[in-house]
Amino acid sequence: MAITADSRSQFHVLAVDDSLIDRKLIERLLKTSSYQVTTVDSGSKALKFLGFQEDEQGNPDTPFGSPNNHQEVEVNLIITDYCMPGMTGYDLLKKVKESSSLRNIPVVIMSSENVPSRITRCLEEGAEEFFLKPVRLSDLNRLKPHMMKTKIKNQKQEEDQEELKISEIQSDEQQQPVQPPSPQPQPESQPQPPPPPPALLLQHNNNKRKAMEEGLSPDRTRPRYNGIPTMV
Amino acid sequence: MEVGQMQRAWVEYTRSLFREGFLDAQFQQLQLLQDESNPDFVAEVVSLFFEDSERLLADLTFVLEQQNIDFKKVDAHVHQFKGSSSSIGAQRVKNDCIAFRNFCEEQNIEGCLRCLQQVKQDYYLVKSKLEALIRLEQQIVAAGGSIPMEELSS
């Protein structure tokens, strides 16, 4: 499937802000830019909408094996306020990036305060952009490239699953000492996605081992999101 | 008044609000987001701002009347007020909030009370200006005219 400018309206953005005024504003900004928008007023509602499960927290990498684990509603990007009561935008970002099923969704943080350490912290945690509030139409031009990336990633998801099984075997071999590290392939030039970083594989193997020790099935099925009223 | 006259009055009035610092460029952003599919966008956001502001002013007045002032609460309210005023482009209110937060950080009661009076005054002032502007817009539309947005930039 070719991705053209026309497919922009298919991009679905989840906007999170505790301020009603700012929700109205970001909704209008995104709709004017032809995106589909869902707004929620808290980080926990955002996670619910994404079908996030609390028990994922302790075991962030287990659901790798279940390919039927797609979200009911596809979200191509999350844009969230930083300063919110309860779960902050930073907390939400962390939860998304720690979740194997959600971590591919790009996250953009908005904040009214220009605090460099805060910006660095968010970018280090995996945020794609940091927007100073009030957000302007011109800022939204920076969203599209991030969404294109996920579209491509999602299309390759099936491939990824295969790739993972192969790299899992490879990683067992890599437990042998002294293997020169192979150069990282560039995603743009390679038709195949790059293998996941070693840390990920290691965690995955550990989890698998743990799961086997405890006699649990690693492909637990996870209930999907349903029944939350939304404003799409 | 005929439509052309009202439109000229609208342009003049809007310009004066920017010139006198009641509103800043963010308000223009709101105006840009209003179109045929969303003819009441500015009025909607502005009325949300009124509701929000009046609740925050009441809360601030209450907190600052207490024997032991909870400055964290004061700061949280002012932070919200600063956010909403900057989102709609109410520049004077936003600037008052910045000064307010500084006094709050110093736990300066006198300073906080002075800021509360100032922000109240500036809020009610910009409220009446915005109400007048929106009334004029509604009159223009009711008379079959359109809001001459493009003339603002010339």
Side-chain angles (χ1 to χ4, degrees), chain B residues 90-107:
Chain B
Q91 189 172 230
R92 288 194 191 184
V93 173
K94 182 189 79 180
N95 290 340
D96 293 341
C97 288
I98 293 170
F100 203 152
R101 288 194 84 186
N102 289 333
F103 284 118
C104 197
E105 203 179 332
E106 294 168 13
Q107 311 220 332

Side-chain angles (χ1 to χ4, degrees), chain A residues 131-143:
Chain A
F131 288 167
L132 270 182
K133 279 177 141 188
V135 176
R136 313 196 134 206
L137 265 175
S138 53
D139 293 321
L140 296 194
N141 296 334
R142 278 146 64 195
L143 296 183

Side-chain angles (χ1 to χ4, degrees), chain B residues 38-51:
Chain B
N38 267 277
D40 299 319
F41 179 69
V42 174
E44 276 171 29
V45 174
V46 162
S47 79
L48 284 177
F49 172 66
F50 293 160
E51 283 170 33

Side-chain angles (χ1 to χ4, degrees), chain A:
Chain A
M1 188 184 79
I3 295 171
T4 60
D6 299 319
S7 65
R8 179 143 78 156
S9 56
Q10 294 165 12
F11 286 128
H12 180 196
V13 179
L14 177 61
V16 192
D17 203 309
D18 61 311
S19 152
L20 178 55
I21 295 175
D22 287 350
R23 277 203 304 283
K24 279 261 171 202
L25 206 58
I26 193 75
E27 184 186 29
R28 199 67 224 116
L29 280 164
L30 288 163
K31 283 189 173 164
T32 301
S33 310
S34 305
Y35 296 117
Q36 225 187 307
V37 192
T38 299
T39 58
V40 291
D41 64 3
S42 72
S44 51
K45 282 187 191 158
L47 288 176
K48 249 186 223 163
F49 183 78
L50 293 163
F52 175 87
Q53 285 230 296
E54 268 314 309
D55 61 13
E56 248 188 89
Q57 271 179 300
N59 241 344
D61 286 304
T62 31
F64 259 134
S66 46
N68 295 326
N69 188 20
H70 295 305
Q71 294 153 229
E72 195 83 0
V73 186
E74 195 194 21
V75 170
N76 303 103
L77 186 130
I78 301 166
I79 185 162
T80 177
D81 185 28
Y82 180 90
C83 188
M84 294 186 287
M87 185 184 292
T88 67
Y90 180 72
D91 299 334
L92 174 61
L93 167 71
K94 266 174 59 177
K95 285 229 193 293
V96 167
K97 293 301 161 191
E98 280 164 10
S99 155
S100 59
S101 54
L102 303 179
R103 70 159 63 96
N104 279 348
I105 305 175
V107 178
V108 170
I109 308 272
M110 309 176 279
S111 172
S112 57
E113 266 146 301
N114 192 355
V115 184
S117 61
R118 177 182 291 182
I119 298 172
T120 316
R121 212 152 57 100
C122 289
L123 295 178
E124 276 173 1
E125 199 60 50
E128 306 290 338
E129 297 278 350
F130 192 97
F131 288 167
L132 270 182
K133 279 177 141 188
V135 176
R136 313 196 134 206
L137 265 175
S138 53
D139 293 321
L140 296 194
N141 296 334
R142 278 146 64 195
L143 296 183
K144 205 176 160 197
H146 303 302
M147 290 194 243
M148 300 297 258
K149 266 192 299 187
T150 3
K151 273 270 171 183
I152 293 160
K153 260 187 205 162
N154 286 345
Q155 278 162 21
K156 286 189 175 171
Q157 207 149 51
E158 296 289 297
E159 271 178 72
D160 270 342
Q161 300 287 350
E162 287 306 305
E163 187 76 0
L164 234 138
K165 281 172 197 155
I166 298 161
S167 21
E168 207 179 301
I169 299 160
Q170 283 171 343
S171 86
D172 281 343
E173 287 162 359
Q174 276 165 15
Q175 310 256 329
Q176 310 296 325
V178 208
Q179 273 222 350
S182 53
Q184 283 290 320
Q186 290 299 305
E188 286 83 4
S189 58
Q190 291 288 113
Q192 293 289 320
L200 214 72
L201 283 169
L202 205 65
Q203 248 182 356
H204 175 51
N205 287 345
N206 284 345
N207 279 336
K208 202 179 167 189
R209 199 169 302 138
K210 205 164 72 185
M212 284 184 336
E213 279 164 9
E214 290 166 7
L216 294 171
S217 160
D219 2 327
R220 285 173 300 155
T221 45
R222 293 151 14 91
R224 299 174 181 191
Y225 154 79
N226 51 17
I228 298 173
T230 59
M231 312 190 334
V232 178

Side-chain angles (χ1 to χ4, degrees), chain B residues 68-81:
Chain B
N68 289 309
I69 294 173
D70 183 346
F71 283 98
K72 264 200 168 149
K73 245 184 204 161
V74 178
D75 188 65
H77 291 322
V78 180
H79 172 75
Q80 272 189 45
F81 207 179

Side-chain angles (χ1 to χ4, degrees), chain B residues 18-32:
Chain B
F18 288 123
R19 200 169 48 234
E20 290 160 33
F22 288 107
L23 301 175
D24 63 23
Q26 178 59 22
F27 190 75
Q28 274 169 305
Q29 284 276 315
L30 295 190
Q31 290 178 315
L32 281 176

